[in-house]
Amino acid sequence: MLLKTIDMKCKSIKLMLLALFSVLFHTQPVWASSNVSFNAAIDQLVQDNFDVKRQGIEALSSADGTSVFIMFDAMLNGHLYHHPDSNQVYVKENASSNKALHIVSLTDTKTVEIAEGSPLKKIRVNNNLRSRLQELIAIKGLTVDDIDIKKKVVREFIRAPKVEHVQHLESAYVGETNSSLKALLNIAIASATLNAPGDKGNISDLLSTVSHSGEIETVGVIKQYLSTPGITPNDKKIAQSAIKRIEGKKKRNKLFENIFFGLSLGSVLLLASIGLAITFGVMGVINMAHGEMIMLGAYTTYVVQQIMPNALQYSLWVSIPAAFIVTALVGMLIERLVIRHLYGRPLETLLATFGISLILQQAVRSVFSPLNRQVLSPDWMMGSLEVNSMLSLTYNRLYILVFSLMVLFFVMLVMRKTSLGLHMRAVTQNRAMANSMGIKSSRIDALTFGLGSGIAGVAGVALSQLTNVGPNLGQAYIIDSFMVVVFGGVGNLFGTLFAAMSLGAATKFIEPYAGAVMAKILILVFIILFIQWRPRGLFALKGRFVED
């Protein structure tokens, strides 16, 4: 340890003298961000001799810049590639990807597309180089400009604290201006000091800093401290209390996470069920093709994205009205050709729409093939909102939760504030009276079915951001949608909202104990028993076929 410390101090003195020499003689140090030194280091990295590779790594380790951190991290994870003809280096997440991050210099990167057949060669490392890279990544990560990268590195320091890193952490703490990152650095310093040999100072203050951090990694730090020989009973008691405090935070965050994922699942069920609440609840039609309307909406999103490949950030906004129009027109066509002849015969509408669902599935297989299609998410839907190290909320589910409530609000406005909604309610309550008042009930039937199908298409747009798009996409949600509508009350939109959110939350709370399959079975059994008690659901609504 003493020799290592002396060696580190010698290196620091050497670098300081070299920098002073450069200033005095108006020259750049050898590690400056020049293409000459960068290219020389790359020449060493691509050699088969691992000793030469190490020389290239050490040469780059003296340089500043995010590019160095990116290169070291890519080398460690096997994502760094070299183009032998141009002597350029690229970071690729996988070998089959055609997009890569081109490391132009020590200070510059850009995303490019790699032409097919380009002779890229992976830059490989051995175990000794991996150990050195891990050490350099930890140190270099404290000097990059990216706050997210810094936080990730500091959390690694917290997870595996080492006393020799305290100096680097303290230097980073002094120069840091970001308050949240500075708090993380303070926790990392306390974690490393807690398990350092010799005098640790005030143990209570160190344990208080670590335990109040909200970082789950600190549990391991405190447990490591508890295994230290010679710990006093009082310090042991403080450490055990700190662990209990962190475990309590973990349970509270897990509870909130389950609530969020339950509401997220509920928002998906809500989107899938709103259209069915209209066609089934208002019109009395058992529409087994409702899932295929969701599927068509998802495929519309895929097609729009193919038409607008260079406008990914905006294609999703175009897909929403496009999916609504496409599925609404398909729904109106189905109503005009089939459903209008089957009103008042629920069993026959079930069989007819089931046949239509098979036809639509096969049509999609013929046009797009049976393989699943991937719909890319725009940048603003990727990533997650980090509440703390124990809890993060994904942006795509947050947006879909808000979007589902907006769709519900839109439908309620249509039903209550427009002439279409007024006519729909009139036809539902008394068709003969509505006809005598001049309302064309056949036209309202077509528009109502089209509205329900269009909303199902919009649900498909949202689902395309959560899962792959395939011919069987709608089949995964049709049964759940019927359960939501029946449980909430046939045709009642508020009941649909309550039922979707409550069933989604219940499913997520049951899954950790019973598993995903058993959770669905238990929910289904509950619905069967519930409708024995309240056949019209929680919030019953009078409709054309309710009184029958």
Side-chain angles (χ1 to χ4, degrees):
M1 179 65 73
L2 179 61
L3 291 174
K4 188 170 183 179
T5 305
I6 294 172
D7 182 58
M8 289 176 66
K9 289 184 177 179
C10 290
K11 284 184 178 179
S12 301
I13 295 171
K14 183 179 178 181
L15 291 174
M16 290 172 63
L17 290 174
L18 190 54
L20 179 62
F21 177 84
S22 302
V23 172
L24 291 174
F25 292 94
H26 303 285
T27 59
Q28 286 187 320
V30 295
W31 65 86
S33 300
S34 63
N35 287 327
V36 176
S37 60
F38 175 72
N39 291 333
I42 297 304
D43 288 337
Q44 293 176 316
L45 288 181
V46 299
Q47 299 299 318
D48 292 332
N49 189 310
F50 288 108
D51 291 333
V52 178
K53 283 180 186 285
R54 189 181 185 92
Q55 294 175 15
I57 291 172
E58 296 299 336
L60 289 172
S61 69
S62 301
D64 291 329
T66 307
S67 297
V68 177
F69 177 85
I70 293 173
M71 287 179 62
F72 286 167
D73 187 61
M75 286 180 67
L76 183 65
N77 294 291
H79 297 155
L80 192 66
Y81 291 80
H82 173 249
H83 196 296
D85 297 338
S86 60
N87 197 35
Q88 302 293 321
V89 286
Y90 301 88
V91 177
K92 295 176 63 179
E93 290 299 323
N94 55 73
S96 60
S97 174
N98 67 332
K99 287 191 176 182
L101 184 68
H102 181 200
I103 310 295
V104 180
S105 68
L106 293 177
T107 57
D108 190 18
T109 63
K110 61 181 180 180
T111 303
V112 296
E113 289 193 8
I114 303 296
E116 290 188 18
S118 296
L120 292 183
K121 182 181 178 182
K122 182 184 289 188
I123 299 178
R124 302 184 183 279
V125 295
N126 60 9
N127 288 335
N128 289 332
L129 292 182
R130 286 191 186 93
S131 299
R132 180 57 177 156
L133 284 171
Q134 288 174 343
E135 182 180 353
L136 290 172
I137 287 170
I139 297 171
K140 300 300 294 183
L142 296 173
T143 64
V144 301
D145 297 327
D146 192 312
I147 295 295
D148 292 332
I149 291 177
K150 279 187 177 180
K151 287 183 177 180
K152 180 181 178 182
V153 169
V154 174
R155 286 202 172 96
E156 284 298 316
F157 279 117
I158 296 173
R159 186 183 62 82
K162 294 181 180 178
V163 65
E164 57 265 29
H165 292 154
V166 172
Q167 182 180 358
H168 299 289
L169 292 167
E170 288 177 341
S171 299
Y173 180 85
V174 172
E176 186 55 54
T177 57
N178 184 280
S179 58
S180 61
L181 182 56
K182 201 161 187 175
L184 271 180
L185 285 165
N186 189 38
I187 297 163
I189 294 169
S191 299
T193 306
L194 188 64
N195 289 293
D199 183 23
K200 301 179 177 61
N202 193 323
I203 296 295
S204 298
D205 289 345
L206 291 175
L207 288 172
S208 178
T209 301
V210 171
S211 63
H212 285 88
S213 64
E215 304 294 323
I216 190 61
E217 295 88 350
T218 55
V219 173
V221 175
I222 300 174
K223 287 181 177 179
Q224 183 180 346
Y225 169 71
L226 281 171
S227 64
T228 305
I231 184 173
T232 65
N234 184 52
D235 290 344
K236 184 176 182 180
K237 183 179 179 181
I238 295 172
Q240 290 173 340
S241 299
I243 291 176
K244 288 181 180 179
R245 189 183 300 115
I246 297 171
E247 293 291 348
K249 287 183 179 179
K250 182 180 178 181
K251 289 180 181 179
R252 290 192 295 273
N253 280 282
K254 185 63 177 177
L255 174 64
F256 191 85
E257 184 182 64
N258 284 336
I259 293 173
F260 170 72
F261 279 108
L263 294 178
S264 173
L265 175 60
S267 66
V268 173
L269 294 177
L270 176 63
L271 280 173
S273 304
I274 293 173
L276 192 64
I278 295 173
T279 56
F280 178 48
V282 176
M283 302 181 67
V285 174
I286 303 177
N287 182 17
M288 295 300 293
H290 182 78
E292 278 55 52
M293 298 297 107
I294 298 174
M295 178 261 293
L296 289 178
Y299 270 103
T300 302
T301 309
Y302 169 75
V303 171
V304 169
Q305 196 169 94
Q306 298 304 305
I307 296 173
M308 305 171 60
N310 299 321
L312 181 62
Q313 305 300 321
Y314 309 103
S315 63
L316 195 64
W317 297 109
V318 177
S319 299
I320 294 173
F324 181 86
I325 292 171
V326 169
T327 52
L329 291 175
V330 172
M332 292 172 68
L333 183 64
I334 292 172
E335 196 279 337
R336 290 288 85 186
L337 296 178
V338 180
I339 303 299
R340 66 179 299 187
H341 306 292
L342 301 175
Y343 284 125
R345 292 180 284 177
L347 180 60
E348 293 182 25
T349 60
L350 184 151
L351 295 174
T353 53
F354 179 71
I356 292 171
S357 72
L358 297 178
I359 294 172
L360 290 174
Q361 287 181 42
Q362 190 56 48
V364 167
R365 290 190 183 96
S366 300
V367 175
F368 296 99
S369 86
L371 301 177
N372 288 344
R373 302 291 180 176
Q374 183 180 10
V375 176
L376 300 177
S377 298
D379 292 340
W380 49 271
M381 286 194 73
M382 300 178 69
S384 59
L385 174 65
E386 186 176 325
V387 180
N388 54 54
S389 66
M390 302 181 191
L391 179 64
S392 59
L393 311 177
T394 54
Y395 284 125
N396 58 350
R397 293 187 177 273
L398 275 172
Y399 283 125
I400 289 174
L401 176 58
V402 175
F403 179 66
S404 65
L405 296 175
M406 291 173 63
V407 172
L408 178 66
F409 181 71
F410 167 76
V411 174
M412 294 180 76
L413 281 180
V414 170
M415 296 292 289
R416 296 182 181 181
K417 302 295 183 180
T418 66
S419 59
L420 173 62
L422 178 64
H423 293 170
M424 285 171 58
R425 286 181 284 134
V427 173
T428 300
Q429 293 173 9
N430 195 319
R431 171 179 285 267
M433 182 63 71
N435 287 331
S436 67
M437 297 296 292
I439 298 175
K440 295 182 179 179
S441 58
S442 60
R443 176 174 172 272
I444 296 301
D445 288 335
L447 291 175
T448 303
F449 202 87
L451 177 63
S453 300
I455 295 169
V458 172
V461 177
L463 286 174
S464 69
Q465 302 301 303
L466 299 176
T467 184
N468 288 329
V469 177
N472 298 321
L473 173 64
Q475 294 300 305
Y477 294 95
I478 184 65
I479 301 300
D480 291 338
S481 298
F482 272 107
M483 285 198 300
V484 168
V485 173
V486 171
F487 178 53
V490 177
N492 191 305
L493 293 177
F494 177 77
T496 303
L497 169 65
F498 180 85
M501 294 303 176
S502 58
L503 291 180
T507 300
K508 286 301 176 183
F509 275 97
I510 295 174
E511 278 181 0
Y513 304 101
V517 176
M518 184 56 67
K520 280 203 168 189
I521 293 174
L522 292 174
I523 293 294
L524 182 59
V525 170
F526 167 75
I527 297 296
I528 293 172
L529 295 176
F530 178 80
I531 61 176
Q532 300 297 317
W533 173 53
R534 290 181 68 95
R536 297 186 184 181
L538 279 173
F539 305 93
L541 181 71
K542 290 186 177 181
R544 186 189 307 168
F545 298 97
V546 170
E547 296 174 356
D548 295 339

